[in-house]
Amino acid sequence: MQQWQVHKLRGEEVLLSTWTEADSGRFVITARWPKGHPFYLPSQGAYDPLLLAETVRQTVPLLSHAVHGVPREHKQAWECLNFAVEPLASLITTAEDEVRLVVSCSDVVRRGNRFAGMAMDIDVHLGKRLMGIAHTRFNDQPAAVYRRMRGSYADIDTALANRLPAGPPVDPRLVGRTSPADVVLSPAPGGERPGRWLLRVDTSHPVLFARRWFTAGGGPSSRAAP
C-alpha cells in the first residue's frame, strides 16, 4: 500500500496492506496492526480501539483514490463515524492475527462524473474473530470547492499559525497513557470537574498529525494536514 493512498507521511504508520473488490460495492481490505507502537498502546492485553478507528480512516482515501479515481489534491471529510469493539475479541495473541475489513459501500453520491462521497459499513475481523464494527459517511471535495467552504480555515499554514497552544494535560495515568505528550484532554476551567474536560490539540504530535496533503504530482506538499 502506498503512503499517499492513505494520506500518511511515514511508511510505518500505514496500516492497510491489500484490497480486493469482492463484488459490486463490497471490498475486503487487509491490515497489519503493530503489537508494539509508541502511541497505540495495548490495554489489559487488548489492542487499542484507536487502531480500529485509524484503520477505518485509512480506508476513506484508499477507496476514494483506488476505486473512484479521486485526484490526490481532493479533500475527504468525515460526516460521521461510529464504531464498537468486542473486548474479548480484541485480545492480543501470540499468533500473527490478520486484520481483515469487510467494507460495504452504499449511498454513493456523484456530482456529474465526479465522486462526491458515500457511506461505509465495516466488519473488522481479527484472525477468525469479529472484533468490531464501524459505520461512517464522508464527502469528497475538489481543492477549489474545499477552499470556498472553509474560507480562511482552508489555508493550513494560516490555521497553524493562529492555533491556540495545547492546554495542560490531565495526569496520563487517568487516561491510560504513559507520556503527557499523548494526552488529548485538559482539565475543565475552574479546576477538576467530574465528567468535563477540554480537548487538548497538539498539532506537532507525530502520530495524530502525521499526515500531509499530497500534490497532483504525487509528492507530499510542505503543509501539515490535521
Side-chain angles (χ1 to χ4, degrees):
M1 194 68 59
Q2 299 183 53
Q3 293 162 232
W4 73 266
Q5 291 179 304
V6 294
H7 293 187
K8 300 301 287 189
L9 185 63
R10 299 188 299 171
E12 61 268 28
E13 298 298 336
V14 176
L15 301 177
L16 305 186
S17 301
T18 66
W19 70 274
T20 57
E21 186 169 11
D23 47 56
S24 181
R26 186 169 174 268
F27 301 88
V28 176
I29 300 173
T30 61
R32 297 181 65 183
W33 283 357
K35 294 182 178 179
H37 189 280
F39 180 72
Y40 300 114
L41 300 174
S43 176
Q44 299 181 343
Y47 284 104
D48 187 338
L50 287 178
L51 271 173
L52 184 149
E54 171 59 15
T55 304
V56 170
R57 187 209 64 77
Q58 291 189 16
T59 67
V60 170
L62 172 66
L63 295 184
S64 296
H65 296 306
V67 175
H68 294 283
V70 169
R72 299 184 189 187
E73 67 270 20
H74 280 208
K75 318 297 184 186
Q76 290 84 49
W78 260 339
E79 297 177 18
C80 67
L81 169 66
N82 304 298
F83 69 91
V85 172
E86 170 53 56
L88 291 179
S90 305
L91 294 176
I92 299 174
T93 67
T94 56
E96 194 67 30
D97 288 327
E98 179 185 68
V99 181
R100 182 168 53 90
L101 287 74
V102 179
V103 183
S104 298
C105 302
S106 62
D107 196 17
V108 177
V109 177
R110 294 189 176 276
R111 302 283 185 259
N113 294 326
R114 178 178 72 82
F115 172 76
M118 66 182 179
M120 299 191 301
D121 288 284
I122 304 171
D123 290 339
V124 182
H125 301 263
L126 183 60
K128 296 182 179 180
R129 300 163 285 170
L130 176 63
M131 63 82 60
I133 58 174
H135 171 80
T136 184
R137 176 164 190 85
F138 67 94
N139 62 74
D140 175 87
Q141 304 295 343
V145 174
Y146 180 81
R147 286 193 297 269
R148 289 200 300 270
M149 292 174 59
R150 297 286 292 163
S152 60
Y153 295 102
D155 186 280
I156 299 299
D157 292 333
T158 301
L160 291 177
N162 295 328
R163 71 188 184 278
L164 296 174
V170 300
D171 187 336
R173 295 171 296 180
L174 296 177
V175 292
R177 295 292 168 181
T178 58
S179 170
D182 291 337
V183 175
V184 297
L185 296 180
S186 286
E192 298 291 343
R193 300 175 63 183
R196 287 196 173 189
W197 298 270
L198 295 178
L199 183 62
R200 180 176 183 273
V201 181
D202 178 7
T203 56
S204 66
H205 195 282
V207 176
L208 293 176
F209 291 86
R211 292 186 287 141
R212 301 206 177 191
W213 298 127
F214 283 78
T215 65
S221 75
S222 61
R223 296 180 176 182

